[in-house]
């Protein structure tokens, strides 16, 4: 949440910062602002609304050129999205500028204290107190990094801060507690950002800051200390970003979401790559939890939010079926507040695309405090969740920019299947040949996803005809139930329509009262093979809702003729084993939501009120 960029070097800081903000706008888009050090002073511009408003402001009132600057794109927490509340925030004299991601929980007390000392604050934000405190501390130590350390020791909550001071024109200082902050190391220049996407066009050499650290950036030197001032040499991680700037471009697509949907076959294949050996056995050496420890586990608990939570719900079916170990799935935001029963024999799996979701982070910390082992499934190298976990299995979706998660979801599913099969392998609950059969199916699945993508034109046409509807319901059974939840979530966040996902068997316990004439109901139908009881039951459910006037949109596998007579619209997906069906059945729902959002004139990549990475609880 909130995107931050800082730059010091020989280029125009304003150009670098604005380009970086464009790449981070997915993190928040309520308002944006920049500050540049030039001509011995500080020049700022900020505007409510998207970056384009800031661009217009800068065209009307250009800032002087300078080589040191910071910028921010905001997802509002304290104070509405107005020009005044936009970042950067300044001290009273206009010598310090600060941008912030996170929440300063004790800001009210700090604000009252500042007011007593005669400071006048102009915004409603929690951030502005930091600018004033930094100015006070700087006036006594004349060192911005030291001032930042002094201030950070007084702050409570989660925050990333980046600041400049007019009296230190070649310095940018950043601080991090919980929220992300990465350094980019260039030749005679340096960058700070919430995400490497902001500076990847300039350098792929990155340094990830640890908890409670302050970094001072100069053109030729980067110095990292703890909040206590001690050098942090052993506790920073330098790494090479293994994707290039083009991975964060739209690449000819109208939206990042469309590009990311199209990238799913590759993302799935990349996530499988190198994890299955020539003999068809799973090789998850990177999961640094020993086989003997995994054999000891008597429970798996999955914690995640939103789309990642839906991946967890599907994982439960796979884990329990392939390993016979009980598995619970919990919304991360609820987890620690219900006093969950955890011990060293519990394997907690934390699923997160961004690796920064605060609810998930807090859940995993709670789990580790109770002695559980935590395995992260994550898409973002070096982010906080994998850093704080006992082990990590990275998904290889590449950068996901659209707020609505698509390729990350499919790769989370693949990673969950791998974990489930691996557990089955080390615990001996699955025979080698059974695992190999599933692995064979998995290795063909990228091709099946590709085939789905080639058949999406009727789904788009159908979506456009539903643009004026108010409600769409989604039904599924077994793994089709979380798919239904995911379809409904996509529609809510993109099309701003009322959408609900239900287990089809629950319909008769209440939700069937919602069915009325021509109400669109999407039904995810399980394979008629193997678990045909489920198939037969859902065909009955479809008939029940049709009898009450629903318009049925049925997702069924190729060759399932039994369901065809009851489908007003039939969307075919390739034949897959039941547990793997979500990998193909979700794709039409993504396309459906994207097309409906477009038809309703909504912002596809940046839906209202949302942000990609949710770093507040
Ligand atoms: O980065 P994470 O996977 O932890 O994010 C979790 C959710 O915030 C995320 O999946 C959200 O629900 C998506 N916008 C849904 O498309």
């Amino acid at each position: 949440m909130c995107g931050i960029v800082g730059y010091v070097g020989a280029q125009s800081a304003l150009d670098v910062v604005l380009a970086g903000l464009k790449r981070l706008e997915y993190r928040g888009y309520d308002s944006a602002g920049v500050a540049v050090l030039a001509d011995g002073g500080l020049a700022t511009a900020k505007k409510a609304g998207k970056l384009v408003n800031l661009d217009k402001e800068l065209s009307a009132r250009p800032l002087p050129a300078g080589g040191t600057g910071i910028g921010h794109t905001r997802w509002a927490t304290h104070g509405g999205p107005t020009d005044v509340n936009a970042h950067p925030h300044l001290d009273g004299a206009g010598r310090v500028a600060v941008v912030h991601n996170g929440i300063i929980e004790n800001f009210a007390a700090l604000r009252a204290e500042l007011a007593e000392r005669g400071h006048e604050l102009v915004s409603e934000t929690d951030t502005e107190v930091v600018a004033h405190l930094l100015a006070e501390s700087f006036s006594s130590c004349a060192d911005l990094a030291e001032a930042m350390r002094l201030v950070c020791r007084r702050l409570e909550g989660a925050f990333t801060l980046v600041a400049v001071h007019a009296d230190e024109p070649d310095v940018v200082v950043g601080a991090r507690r919980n929220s992300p902050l990465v350094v980019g190391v260039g030749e005679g220049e340096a960058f700070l950002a919430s995400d490497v996407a902001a500076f990847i066009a300039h350098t792929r050499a990155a340094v990830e800051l640890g908890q409670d650290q302050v970094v001072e950036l100069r053109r030729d030197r980067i110095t990292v200390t703890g909040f206590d001032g001690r050098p942090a040499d052993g506790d920073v991680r330098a790494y090479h970003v293994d994707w290039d700037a083009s991975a964060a471009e739209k690449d000819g697509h109208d939206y990042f979401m469309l590009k990311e949907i199209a990238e799913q076959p590759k993302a799935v294949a990349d996530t499988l790559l190198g994890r299955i050996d020539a003999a068809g056995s799973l090789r998850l050496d990177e999961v640094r939890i020993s086989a003997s420890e995994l054999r000891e586990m008597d429970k798996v608990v999955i914690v995640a939010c939103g789309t990642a939570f839906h991946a967890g719900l599907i994982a439960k079916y796979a884990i329990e079926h392939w390993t016979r170990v009980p598995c619970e799935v919990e919304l991360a935001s609820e987890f620690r507040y219900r006093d969950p029963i955890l011990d060293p024999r519990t394997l907690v799996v934390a699923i997160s695309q961004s690796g920064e979701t605060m609810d998930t982070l807090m859940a995993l910390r709670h789990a580790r405090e109770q002695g559980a082992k935590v395995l992260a499934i994550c898409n973002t190298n070096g982010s906080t969740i994998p850093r704080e976990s006992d082990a990590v299995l990275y998904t290889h979706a590449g950068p996901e920019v659209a707020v609505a998660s698509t390729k990350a979801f499919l790769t989370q599913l693949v990673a969950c299947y791998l974990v489930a099969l691996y557990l089955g392998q080390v615990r001996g609950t699955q025979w080698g040949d059974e695992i190999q059969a599933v692995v064979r199916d998995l290795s063909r699945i990228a091709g099946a996803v590709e085939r789905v993508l080639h058949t999406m034109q009727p789904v788009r046409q159908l979506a456009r005809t539903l643009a004026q509807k108010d409600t769409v319901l989604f039904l599924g059974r077994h793994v089709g139930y979380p798919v239904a939840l995911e379809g409904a979530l996509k529609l809510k966040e993109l099309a701003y329509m009322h959408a609900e996902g239900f287990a089809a068997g629950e319909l008769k316990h209440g939700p069937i009262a919602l069915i009325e004439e021509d109400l669109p109901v999407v039904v995810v139908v399980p394979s008629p093979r193997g678990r045909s009881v489920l198939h037969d039951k859902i065909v009955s459910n479809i008939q029940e809702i049709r009898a009450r006037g629903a318009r049925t949109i049925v997702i069924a596998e190729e060759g399932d003729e039994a369901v065809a007579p009851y489908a007003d619209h039939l969307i075919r997906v390739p034949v897959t084993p039941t547990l793997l069906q979500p990998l193909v059945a979700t794709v039409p729902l993504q396309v459906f939501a994207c097309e409906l959002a477009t038809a309703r004139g909504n912002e596809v990549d940046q839906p209202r009120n949302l942000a990609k990475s949710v770093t507040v609880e």
Side-chain angles (χ1 to χ4, degrees):
M1 259 166 187
C2 299
I4 286 180
V5 187
Y7 175 75
V8 54
Q11 300 188 59
S12 154
L14 184 62
D15 292 347
V16 173
V17 167
L18 283 174
L21 289 180
K22 285 200 174 81
R23 289 179 178 272
L24 295 190
E25 202 179 13
Y26 69 89
R27 299 181 70 90
Y29 30 85
D30 291 339
S31 59
V34 287
V36 175
L37 294 181
D39 308 331
L42 188 61
T44 62
K46 51 191 200 170
K47 227 41 204 159
K50 296 203 167 202
L51 263 175
V52 60
N53 295 357
L54 178 65
D55 283 339
K56 282 186 201 144
E57 170 72 11
L58 287 166
S59 304
R61 273 171 288 281
L63 297 186
T68 306
I70 60 177
H72 187 265
T73 175
R74 179 172 188 242
W75 186 85
T77 59
H78 293 60
T82 61
D83 289 357
V84 172
N85 289 336
H87 300 211
H89 289 282
L90 309 184
D91 68 313
R95 303 295 286 170
V96 183
V98 64
V99 293
H100 165 220
N101 172 20
I103 292 178
I104 293 162
E105 287 168 1
N106 58 335
F107 92 99
L110 295 169
R111 196 180 171 109
E113 185 191 296
L114 284 164
E116 268 177 32
R117 291 201 292 272
H119 291 260
E120 282 180 23
L121 278 71
V122 294
S123 77
E124 301 158 277
T125 66
D126 51 343
T127 309
E128 196 182 358
V129 298
V130 177
H132 285 250
L133 290 171
L134 277 174
E136 278 190 344
S137 296
F138 188 88
S139 65
S140 54
C141 67
D143 175 343
L144 187 58
E146 177 58 9
M148 183 65 94
R149 285 187 285 269
L150 291 168
V151 172
C152 285
R153 296 207 286 267
R154 304 206 51 209
L155 303 181
E156 291 167 16
F159 50 84
T160 297
L161 296 162
V162 173
V164 288
H165 196 297
D167 291 352
E168 283 202 285
D170 295 317
V171 172
V172 175
V173 166
R176 168 175 191 244
R177 170 177 287 165
N178 287 334
S179 300
L181 190 59
V182 193
V183 181
V185 187
E187 289 281 323
E189 59 184 358
F191 309 79
L192 261 181
S194 315
D195 180 331
V196 295
F199 56 71
I200 190 73
H202 304 279
T203 178
R204 288 162 78 174
V207 176
E208 167 199 318
L209 290 189
Q211 275 293 79
D212 286 8
Q213 290 185 344
V214 167
V215 61
E216 183 192 74
L217 251 60
R218 294 175 181 270
R219 290 182 183 206
D220 58 351
R221 196 167 69 240
I222 287 156
T223 313
V224 185
T225 64
F227 284 178
D228 56 8
R230 275 198 288 236
D233 307 342
D235 193 25
V236 288
R237 193 178 72 97
Y239 64 102
H240 181 78
V241 183
D242 58 8
W243 47 271
D244 62 25
S246 66
E249 300 289 352
K250 284 189 204 150
D251 214 10
H253 294 270
D254 287 344
Y255 310 112
F256 277 108
M257 185 178 176
L258 286 174
K259 178 192 176 220
E260 289 160 8
I261 288 173
E263 285 173 342
Q264 291 184 111
K266 180 174 183 318
V268 164
D270 286 352
T271 301
L272 287 167
L273 202 68
R275 286 165 171 169
I276 299 165
D277 69 14
S281 294
L282 292 154
R283 288 263 159 268
L284 300 190
D285 301 336
E286 62 216 277
V287 174
R288 298 181 316 265
I289 302 178
S290 69
S292 60
E293 281 175 299
L294 290 175
R295 276 192 284 273
E296 286 301 305
M297 296 297 174
D298 61 7
K299 182 168 72 170
V300 177
V301 177
I302 299 176
V303 289
C305 302
T307 288
F309 172 70
H310 298 154
L313 290 176
I314 292 164
K316 174 182 166 74
Y317 291 85
I319 289 171
E320 293 193 337
H321 181 68
W322 287 330
T323 73
R324 309 312 298 152
V325 180
C327 176
E328 297 166 15
V329 191
E330 179 106 13
L331 287 168
S333 55
E334 289 293 316
F335 183 66
R336 65 187 172 125
Y337 302 106
R338 68 160 176 92
D339 197 13
I341 300 165
L342 304 162
D343 61 35
R345 297 181 67 188
T346 311
L347 176 66
V348 172
V349 180
I351 308 175
S352 175
Q353 188 286 130
S354 62
E356 302 292 349
T357 299
M358 190 58 70
D359 290 318
T360 310
L361 179 61
M362 290 303 171
L364 87 80
R365 283 186 184 160
H366 182 79
R368 292 193 81 198
E369 278 160 23
Q370 310 301 308
K373 285 265 183 228
V374 176
L375 166 65
I377 290 178
C378 185
N379 195 45
T380 310
N381 197 323
S383 54
T384 310
I385 287 172
R387 265 179 81 103
E388 296 204 14
S389 298
D390 296 288
V392 54
L393 185 65
Y394 279 109
T395 52
H396 295 306
E400 191 180 66
V401 177
V403 165
S405 191
T406 54
K407 60 177 180 171
F409 177 66
L410 259 58
T411 59
Q412 285 162 354
L413 288 179
V414 169
C416 288
Y417 293 133
L418 289 174
V419 168
L421 290 167
Y422 186 63
L423 274 176
Q425 181 175 289
V426 298
R427 294 170 70 93
T429 43
Q430 283 289 299
W431 300 110
D433 52 352
E434 285 177 303
I435 291 178
Q436 284 173 14
V438 184
V439 161
R440 265 197 306 279
D441 291 325
L442 258 181
S443 52
R444 285 194 284 260
I445 209 80
V449 176
E450 183 82 58
R451 285 198 358 249
V452 179
L453 289 172
H454 289 140
T455 59
M456 287 299 96
Q457 195 49 28
V459 175
R460 288 189 197 100
Q461 276 163 359
L462 168 65
R464 285 196 286 270
T465 67
L466 301 177
Q468 303 309 319
K469 293 279 181 194
D470 298 321
T471 298
V472 180
L473 301 184
F474 294 76
L475 304 180
R477 278 181 181 261
H478 193 258
V479 289
Y481 166 44
V483 172
L485 294 176
E486 175 61 7
L489 176 63
K490 283 287 151 298
L491 205 61
K492 279 183 252 205
E493 73 176 332
L494 291 165
Y496 317 151
M497 290 168 83
H498 173 229
E500 298 282 344
F502 297 109
E506 272 295 295
L507 210 59
K508 57 190 175 295
H509 299 290
I512 199 163
L514 294 170
I515 306 291
E516 57 187 18
E517 197 57 35
D518 208 35
L519 178 83
V521 184
V522 180
V523 190
V524 183
V525 176
S527 167
R529 297 160 300 108
R531 294 173 173 269
S532 58
V533 183
L534 274 180
H535 177 270
D536 295 350
K537 288 199 190 312
I538 212 160
V539 171
S540 301
N541 299 142
I542 295 172
Q543 293 181 66
E544 286 154 17
I545 55 170
R546 258 188 129 220
R548 288 159 178 83
R551 184 180 336 175
T552 56
I553 302 164
V554 171
I555 299 179
E557 76 174 32
E558 288 157 359
D560 179 356
E561 296 311 328
V563 80
Y566 312 111
D568 295 312
H569 308 273
L570 188 56
I571 301 166
R572 291 292 191 186
V573 291
V575 175
T576 55
T578 300
L579 281 168
L580 304 190
Q581 198 202 31
L583 287 167
V584 291
T586 308
V587 177
L589 302 183
Q590 299 167 342
V591 173
F592 182 70
C594 183
E595 194 67 29
L596 259 168
T598 313
R600 288 164 72 93
N602 296 353
E603 290 262 9
V604 170
D605 287 334
Q606 295 171 348
R608 69 184 180 201
N609 303 337
L610 293 172
K612 181 75 181 158
S613 169
V614 185
T615 53
V616 293
E617 275 187 278

